[in-house]
Amino acid sequence: MSNTKKPEPIDEYVAARVQQRRREIGMSQETLGGHLGITFQQVQKYEKGANRMSVGRLFSISRALRVTPGYFLDGFHDGGGMALAGFGEEEGQPALEGAPQGDDDILRLVQSFALIKDAQVRSAVADLVAAIARFNG
């Protein structure tokens, strides 16, 4: 009998979201590990879902990746019709469940957006993209 336990679906989902966000902002596993005080191998285990993350660790990861902890749960479906969406989002904002996964344009947009240092410019760009989405949706 195997001593390894298969990760729960939510653990796998959160792990994939950590990896996705890290890649979106162009951060290496080594850099994330440095922010957390752990090795890149431990980051790999988190991203594969091999090791579960505590709430404290998830909070630290969210700070290093510049998102809210709820980001990692957005769009999760438990298989029974329950969806966790909208954590920290404004009323009327769409959940991430409909967002295309692996879309190169989205990745390029997020990576470029992360490079904007001026808060007012970032806000203006975010408003512009939201306005375009409203009129194009």
Side-chain angles (χ1 to χ4, degrees):
M1 178 154 74
S2 174
N3 203 11
T4 59
K5 183 178 175 186
K6 183 176 179 351
E8 295 291 325
I10 192 155
D11 296 319
E12 291 175 329
Y13 184 84
V14 169
R17 295 280 289 170
V18 168
Q19 183 180 57
Q20 175 187 5
R21 176 62 183 165
R22 179 184 57 75
R23 288 179 174 172
E24 283 175 353
I25 64 172
M27 183 182 288
S28 69
Q29 289 177 331
E30 292 84 5
T31 301
L32 179 56
H35 284 290
L36 303 173
I38 60 175
T39 65
F40 79 92
Q41 291 95 337
Q42 183 65 36
V43 172
Q44 285 177 333
K45 289 178 182 180
Y46 284 144
E47 290 184 354
K48 290 179 182 176
N51 286 2
R52 293 177 115 177
M53 291 173 251
S54 69
V55 173
R57 176 66 75 199
L58 190 61
F59 182 78
S60 296
I61 290 170
S62 72
R63 287 180 47 193
L65 298 178
R66 300 185 302 268
V67 292
T68 65
Y71 167 88
F72 301 109
L73 298 171
D74 282 346
F76 176 75
H77 291 274
D78 71 352
M82 177 73 171
L84 299 176
F87 284 86
E89 293 180 11
E90 294 178 25
E91 186 68 30
Q93 290 288 333
L96 293 175
E97 66 183 55
Q101 296 296 312
D103 187 35
D104 291 339
D105 289 335
I106 292 173
L107 180 58
R108 194 171 50 131
L109 178 65
V110 171
Q111 287 173 334
S112 298
F113 185 81
L115 297 174
I116 300 171
K117 301 297 181 208
D118 186 289
Q120 288 181 321
V121 173
R122 286 174 66 102
S123 180
V125 170
D127 290 344
L128 174 64
V129 172
I132 291 169
R134 279 194 303 273
F135 289 110
N136 195 30

